[in-house]
């Protein structure tokens, strides 16, 4: 194995059903902060107020928007400065924590994040801000939340369409991590496994815990791996054309991941591994028989028999 350099990020993580009600107040208390700016959406405001009832919340900012438009970042910073807050607490998806990050870049105060989607921004040092139709992103340790409270109960009721798209966003993080250093790739691989089995259950509302756990794993690995070409493409489309972040990931991931599939094929050819079923001894009669027995895989078998590149 070649050597590698690995730099990980992250504060304290508390994960568990009910954690937002049992661990948030103590966790924030341990940070010894005295004035909190709560950043959330209008939809989540009642929940956010309930969860933070025991905390010194000075003001609530609910005008968060996707891709953090510059005017939203400025407005949030204005409130934070006016109120002299010493903590930013986000309750919501990537747009809420993204707004907190934009403020923290200027104010250098700790962020506490309570995620309600699978976007994963809470684990990364990546910030984003959109100005004149262009999305600017960067990395700074100052925007990594000091405390993240993952509570699957807060994601119950996340509509199936948002769950699915946000889950694919998490999967994109996991896939990216597979190409990073060995430790990060290990976490990415586990995230792929957990998300592949957890997302259908989350959409069906039978189990939300696995999907959120997978999203956490994926985001913590992505934080180390950094953006690849898939993410750069999504950010470009999202920032420039106003496309929604998670659905853009959902649409493009199968296309960009196909590059990894081509890489597998190139590797097989390079090292002289077999690339067709015919080459390993299958004859045409057996192929026809197999296609009859396994109709769902018939097209795949026909291509693999000839050794045609996967579409
Ligand atoms: P979002 O925060 O805008 O949430 C998507 C929608 O889901 C919103 O309408 C929101 O109100 C709703 N919602 C959220 N939680 C809900 C719940 N529990 N129940 C019902 N509805 C709920 O979008 P997102 O996909 O979470 O995040 C996207 C943003 O985050 C983008 O701006 C993206 O660039 C950023 N992002 C950043 C990083 C990073 O590392 N910096 C990573 C991922 C995403």
């Amino acid at each position: 194995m070649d050597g590698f350099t690995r730099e990980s990020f992250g504060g304290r993580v508390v994960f568990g059903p009910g954690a937002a009600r049992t661990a948030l107040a103590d966790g924030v208390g341990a940070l010894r902060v005295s004035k909190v700016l709560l950043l959330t959406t209008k939809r989540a405001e009642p929940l956010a107020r309930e969860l933070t009832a025991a905390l010194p919340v000075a003001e609530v900012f609910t005008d968060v928007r996707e891709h953090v438009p510059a005017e939203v970042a400025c407005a949030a910073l204005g409130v934070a400065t006016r109120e002299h807050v010493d903590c930013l607490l986000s309750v919501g998806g990537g747009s809420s924590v993204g707004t907190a990050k934009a403020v923290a870049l200027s104010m250098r105060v700790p962020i506490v994040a309570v995620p309600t989607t699978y976007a994963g921004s809470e684990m990364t040092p990546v910030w984003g801000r959109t100005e004149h139709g262009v999305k600017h992103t960067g990395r700074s340790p100052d925007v990594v939340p000091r405390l993240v409270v993952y509570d699957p109960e807060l994601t119950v009721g996340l509509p199936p369409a948002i769950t699915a798209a946000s889950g694919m966003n998490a999967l994109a993080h996991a896939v990216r991590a597979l190409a990073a250093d060995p430790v990060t790739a290990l976490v990415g691989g586990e995230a792929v496994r957990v998300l592949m089995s957890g997302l259908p259950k989350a959409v069906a509302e039978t189990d939300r815990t696995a999907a959120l756990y997978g999203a956490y794993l994926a985001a913590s690995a992505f934080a180390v791996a950094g953006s690849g070409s898939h993410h750069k493409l999504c950010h470009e489309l999202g920032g420039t054309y106003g496309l929604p972040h998670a659905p853009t990931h959902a649409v493009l991931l199968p296309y960009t991941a196909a590059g990894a599939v081509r890489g597998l094929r190139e590797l097989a050819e390079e090292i002289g591994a077999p690339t067709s079923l015919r080459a390993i001894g299958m004859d045409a009669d057996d192929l026809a028989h197999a296609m009859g027995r396994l109709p769902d895989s018939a097209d795949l078998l026909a291509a693999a028999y000839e050794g045609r590149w996967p579409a």
Side-chain angles (χ1 to χ4, degrees):
M1 180 200 290
D2 291 337
F4 62 88
T5 303
R6 183 173 197 273
E7 187 182 2
S8 58
F9 304 87
R12 187 166 186 216
V13 172
V14 182
F15 186 103
R21 288 185 170 77
T22 57
L24 181 61
D26 283 353
V28 175
L31 295 176
R32 304 200 176 285
V33 296
S34 57
K35 275 191 134 187
V36 174
L37 174 61
L38 183 55
L39 299 111
T40 187
T41 56
K42 291 187 179 64
R43 180 200 59 79
E45 186 181 354
L47 170 73
R49 283 188 184 273
E50 181 204 326
L51 296 176
T52 56
L55 296 175
V57 173
E59 190 60 85
V60 185
F61 183 87
T62 58
D63 289 332
V64 308
R65 288 202 344 246
E66 210 178 21
H67 304 308
V68 193
E71 61 273 21
V72 171
C74 286
L77 179 61
V79 176
T81 312
R82 189 190 69 214
E83 296 295 330
H84 301 288
V85 301
D86 56 4
C87 178
L88 307 165
L89 197 163
S90 73
V91 177
S95 301
S96 297
V97 70
T99 308
K101 285 178 165 185
V103 174
L105 260 185
S106 302
M107 283 189 83
R108 313 275 147 117
V109 294
I111 297 176
V112 173
V114 183
T116 63
T117 69
Y118 307 125
S121 176
E122 66 282 350
M123 293 310 297
T124 81
V126 180
W127 55 266
R129 186 181 149 115
T130 303
E131 206 150 12
H132 307 304
V134 178
K135 185 159 183 181
H136 303 278
T137 59
R139 289 168 73 90
S140 167
D142 294 331
V143 304
V144 179
R146 289 266 296 279
L147 171 67
V148 179
V149 178
Y150 282 110
D151 183 347
E153 287 175 5
L154 302 187
T155 63
V156 170
L158 187 66
I162 300 179
T163 301
S166 190
M168 292 295 281
N169 186 182
L171 206 46
H173 295 152
V175 169
R176 164 66 188 138
L178 297 177
D181 67 84
V183 179
T184 304
L186 199 67
V187 180
E190 178 65 357
V192 169
R193 193 188 67 76
V194 173
L195 287 167
M196 292 293 281
S197 70
L199 287 175
K201 294 178 198 153
V203 170
E205 268 327 335
T206 56
D207 172 16
R208 286 271 180 184
T209 306
L212 191 62
Y213 176 58
Y216 158 52
L217 289 178
S220 58
F222 175 68
V224 180
S227 286
S229 54
H230 167 86
H231 274 81
K232 293 196 172 104
L233 189 59
C234 291
H235 277 257
E236 188 73 24
L237 293 184
T240 310
Y241 306 109
L243 294 179
H245 180 83
T248 308
H249 277 275
V251 171
L252 290 184
L253 183 61
Y255 292 94
T256 54
V261 175
R262 266 196 290 282
L264 284 178
R265 177 56 183 260
E266 281 166 3
L267 174 70
E269 288 180 359
E270 183 187 332
I271 63 178
T275 54
S276 76
L277 293 173
R278 183 161 41 194
I280 60 171
M282 194 176 216
D283 63 29
D285 288 345
D286 287 347
L287 172 66
H289 185 257
M291 288 170 71
R293 281 189 59 230
L294 304 163
D296 289 349
S297 304
D299 290 347
L300 181 157
L301 286 170
Y305 178 75
E306 300 290 350
R308 287 199 303 273
W309 280 50

